[in-house]
Amino acid sequence: MHQEIGSFQKKASTTNQIPPGMMKLIFLTIVVSFVSAEKVFNLSFCKLKKEDFFMKKQLHINLHEVTDLILRGNEFDSFLDCSTNLENLRTLDLSQNHLQRFFFLCKEEYNLQMLNVSHNKLEYIDDNALNDRIPRLKILDLSFNKLTIVNETMLQYLTILEYLSLSHNPIRDGIHESAFWNLRALKHLDLKNISAPYFSSGFFKTLTNLSTLDLSWNPIDTIPLLPISLQELDLSGTQVISLENFYLPQLQELKLNYMPNLTSLVLNDLENLTSLEMLSMIGCKRLIQLSLWPQLGIVLPRLQRLSIKECGLETLNNELHALVQRIPVIELENNPWRCDCKLEWINLLNSTRNLSRNIRCYAPERHHAKLLAEIPNYELQCEYDSSIFYPILWTCLSLLIVSLIIAMVLVFLKRPISQWSFKGRNGDTVTYKNVVESNNDLVRILAVSEAHERNEE
Ligand SMILES: *[C@@H]1O[C@H](CO)[C@@H](O)[C@H](O)[C@H]1NC(C)=O
Ligand SMILES: *[C@@H]1O[C@H](CO)[C@@H](O)[C@H](O)[C@H]1NC(C)=O
Ligand SMILES: *[C@@H]1O[C@H](CO)[C@@H](O)[C@H](O)[C@H]1NC(C)=O
Ligand SMILES: *[C@@H]1O[C@H](CO)[C@@H](O)[C@H](O)[C@H]1NC(C)=O
Ligand SMILES: *[C@@H]1O[C@H](CO)[C@@H](O)[C@H](O)[C@H]1NC(C)=O
Ligand SMILES: *[C@@H]1O[C@H](CO)[C@@H](O)[C@H](O)[C@H]1NC(C)=O
């Protein structure tokens, strides 16, 4: 501590003229003392080091009266409550500093309700940081730090916490199974981009009040067990492939944006999301199929907004007709739409939303870049599609061959063996010749069976 103060003084004395930063400080001090009547002390972006604040700033202000202390965007590398008097403090914003540690050590109990230490350099949370001295904490922002572990004791005292963000920390699998268990009042949990490969099924089991959960941009491939109280869920940027068995009856908003592994979505899988109002799938480049099987009861009865932009959809099947007609807002821009007979039903939709003005054709060539709405229906023809035709043709042919073989076997099995071999050899010369000449399975089989038919006569 002494060394640090020394270095601060030395630095101050070497800068003889008043630098612009200092000018700003002086100006801000005036503003601040004026504002302090409202008990808000705002010193954001002043290039303050902790020594500047604790040794100088706080001499000019009655810190013990301050309720909101905003120290955002300064150069604190640690924060220790013992150096100051924060009796009435409710909000402490230390975001965008260089914090490696912070402590609440000196007073029995604080009134602190909101602590923002996001965008700092915290690698771990000391036992004396989030302790029983701040039992009123409701909002805690730990995002954009370097935390690798959330152990079972780190958050244990925060029993009335409502908002927690741990987003953008390299936590990976460092969350202890019971890390969140005491956070029974939690409503909002942000775990975006924490490199978590999975979320254990026990993580959220006591969070019965959770309404907003962000699990986006984590390399998870399955959806974990989630609290059924959820109203908003973000799974964007995850590697989830299937959304089956998803039971969240209170969910209102679901974000599935930029999901690289999602290739098809059967909307029936979302049948248990009966309160869903907003479904967003933006930038799912490999999403090529959206389907809805006929079923009893309405799928997504409350849906108000469906966004499927910048995905890989070429067409929409008519089976979506009723759904599309029902949803007030649908966004379908920037998909590689193929404007042919399969999309005709959208053009015929009687809707004031002009869905077809949303659809800009990508293919076929002659309709490229046109709006679907601009193309008269008689021009929406389906082209002879070789990519589908040939597989169908070959499937039919092989089915034919297989059934012929089966028929043959059945015919042979019905005869006594001796009779078969005698007559078979008789016809053999004819058949063999045909095989060599045609070199074609179908012909060989036809020939064989023909031969046998002849033998039978
Ligand atoms: C915390 O501060 C950061 C940056 O200063 C800000 O973006 C964020 O919204 C704040 N968090 C809360 C919960 O207000
Ligand atoms: C949790 O982590 C903190 C900080 O790293 C450590 O002091 C504490 O002992 C850990 N608790 C347990 C139960 O491991
Ligand atoms: C996730 O965090 C990493 C750094 O930890 C960053 O490079 C990346 O851009 C973040 N991704 C998103 C989608 O925010
Ligand atoms: C998702 O796709 C990426 C490549 O696009 C692949 O590396 C990854 O293994 C896939 N994940 C799953 C769960 O299939
Ligand atoms: C189309 O909408 C108009 C006005 O909403 C309505 O009068 C008409 O009957 C509708 N036609 C069809 C085919 O649904
Ligand atoms: C839909 O199209 C009609 C006629 O083309 C136009 O009058 C109306 O304003 C459009 N509505 C919207 C919401 O774009």
Side-chain angles (χ1 to χ4, degrees):
M1 194 69 188
H2 277 295
Q3 221 175 356
E4 277 168 355
I5 293 164
S7 74
F8 164 68
Q9 283 170 340
K10 205 163 117 205
K11 199 163 178 215
S13 60
T14 49
T15 49
N16 277 337
Q17 357 50 330
I18 303 173
M22 274 300 196
M23 284 294 277
K24 207 166 124 200
L25 268 188
I26 291 160
F27 172 72
L28 261 164
T29 315
I30 297 161
V31 172
V32 156
S33 24
F34 181 71
V35 169
S36 71
E38 298 171 46
K39 300 180 181 173
V40 177
F41 190 45
N42 189 345
L43 269 179
S44 39
F45 301 102
C46 290
K47 298 199 168 74
L48 276 183
K49 292 202 174 17
K50 68 167 184 277
E51 296 82 2
D52 303 323
F53 176 75
F54 290 125
M55 307 293 297
K56 289 184 139 189
K57 283 291 137 210
Q58 69 166 348
L59 302 180
H60 305 287
I61 192 107
N62 287 333
L63 259 186
H64 66 274
E65 283 178 1
V66 170
T67 55
D68 296 46
L69 180 56
I70 317 294
L71 297 170
R72 174 182 295 198
N74 286 294
E75 294 171 9
F76 285 63
D77 57 2
S78 69
F79 186 90
L80 178 62
D81 63 312
C82 304
S83 330
T84 179
N85 181 351
L86 303 171
E87 213 160 316
N88 285 305
L89 198 65
R90 279 178 310 183
T91 297
L92 176 57
D93 186 346
L94 282 165
S95 63
Q96 302 181 48
N97 277 275
H98 308 305
L99 286 188
Q100 288 172 325
R101 277 175 291 276
F102 63 92
F103 302 99
F104 292 94
L105 272 180
C106 287
K107 201 166 168 291
E108 263 316 293
E109 198 170 301
Y110 287 94
N111 225 346
L112 196 65
Q113 289 170 21
M114 133 76 149
L115 175 63
N116 193 344
V117 285
S118 80
H119 292 91
N120 276 290
K121 295 181 176 168
L122 300 168
E123 286 177 20
Y124 64 93
I125 303 291
D126 193 276
D127 279 347
N128 290 312
L130 302 171
N131 52 24
D132 56 351
R133 292 163 200 271
I134 47 171
R136 309 225 168 85
L137 203 61
K138 283 195 173 155
I139 299 176
L140 174 60
D141 194 339
L142 291 165
S143 59
F144 293 93
N145 277 289
K146 298 192 160 79
L147 298 174
T148 53
I149 268 186
V150 183
N151 68 15
E152 65 268 48
T153 53
M154 180 173 143
L155 305 167
Q156 64 179 337
Y157 297 106
L158 308 178
T159 49
I160 66 162
L161 195 71
E162 290 176 4
Y163 176 107
L164 172 65
S165 176
L166 286 164
S167 65
H168 299 90
N169 281 285
I171 299 176
R172 301 196 177 83
D173 58 356
I175 303 182
H176 189 272
E177 169 100 9
S178 63
F180 302 136
W181 286 3
N182 277 3
L183 308 179
R184 288 169 191 271
L186 204 63
K187 289 183 184 153
H188 184 120
L189 178 58
D190 188 350
L191 299 175
K192 179 178 180 176
N193 197 12
I194 59 167
S195 309
Y198 62 88
F199 291 98
S200 143
S201 61
F203 277 171
F204 311 119
K205 76 175 186 188
T206 64
L207 307 185
T208 50
N209 289 307
L210 199 66
S211 70
T212 304
L213 178 61
D214 190 340
L215 299 179
S216 61
W217 299 101
N218 285 295
I220 55 170
D221 54 19
T222 48
I223 303 175
L225 203 61
L226 299 169
I228 59 167
S229 55
L230 277 190
Q231 293 176 9
E232 285 174 38
L233 175 63
D234 194 344
L235 293 172
S236 303
T238 60
Q239 298 181 8
V240 171
I241 299 169
S242 159
L243 297 160
E244 275 173 81
N245 306 324
F246 202 17
Y247 182 73
L248 294 170
Q250 297 178 39
L251 198 69
Q252 291 170 8
E253 196 174 322
L254 177 60
K255 288 192 187 146
L256 303 171
N257 304 332
Y258 303 100
M259 290 181 55
N261 299 60
L262 197 66
T263 54
S264 84
L265 178 67
V266 181
L267 288 167
N268 305 66
D269 287 348
L270 308 181
E271 65 179 333
N272 291 325
L273 309 184
T274 45
S275 302
L276 199 69
E277 291 176 7
M278 202 216 81
L279 175 60
S280 151
M281 284 180 281
I282 298 172
C284 298
K285 287 289 174 210
R286 285 163 67 193
L287 181 74
I288 52 170
Q289 198 181 12
L290 189 71
S291 44
L292 176 64
W293 312 118
Q295 73 166 55
L296 232 58
I298 298 176
V299 176
L300 301 174
R302 298 257 189 92
L303 201 61
Q304 301 293 310
R305 187 183 193 103
L306 176 65
S307 306
I308 312 182
K309 297 193 273 190
E310 291 142 45
C311 294
L313 292 181
E314 289 185 8
T315 195
L316 280 183
N317 201 302
N318 200 357
E319 67 203 13
L320 295 162
H321 194 144
L323 183 87
V324 164
Q325 191 112 43
R326 183 159 47 85
I327 307 174
V329 182
I330 302 192
E331 298 173 302
L332 296 169
E333 290 98 327
N334 295 323
N335 283 281
W337 296 113
R338 165 170 286 275
C339 294
D340 62 13
C341 63
K342 291 181 209 145
L343 279 187
E344 198 180 331
W345 67 276
I346 291 187
N347 244 357
L348 296 173
L349 270 186
N350 185 15
S351 116
T352 49
R353 287 167 294 139
N354 297 343
L355 206 50
S356 48
R357 303 207 150 264
N358 239 289
I359 294 184
R360 197 172 282 281
C361 309
Y362 180 78
E365 194 58 47
R366 65 205 169 98
H367 294 324
H368 185 80
K370 282 191 214 164
L371 288 175
L372 179 63
E374 291 166 351
I375 306 173
N377 275 334
Y378 63 84
E379 279 192 29
L380 291 177
Q381 285 144 357
C382 281
E383 281 166 22
Y384 172 72
D385 192 347
S386 59
S387 65
I388 292 178
F389 181 74
Y390 281 112
I392 291 178
L393 184 74
W394 285 117
T395 315
C396 290
L397 271 179
S398 31
L399 275 177
L400 191 70
I401 292 170
V402 168
S403 47
L404 274 169
I405 291 173
I406 292 173
M408 250 169 56
V409 168
L410 285 178
V411 167
F412 290 165
L413 284 181
K414 274 188 185 161
R415 303 163 178 216
I417 302 281
S418 54
Q419 198 187 358
W420 180 83
S421 55
F422 173 68
K423 291 201 170 172
R425 202 189 290 158
N426 226 0
D428 237 325
T429 41
V430 182
T431 324
Y432 184 63
K433 220 175 165 189
N434 279 357
V435 171
V436 171
E437 275 167 15
S438 66
N439 194 21
N440 178 314
D441 280 349
L442 190 59
V443 171
R444 176 169 51 190
I445 289 154
L446 286 172
V448 168
S449 55
E450 261 172 40
H452 289 300
E453 271 161 29
R454 240 176 281 136
N455 287 342
E456 263 174 307
E457 280 162 18

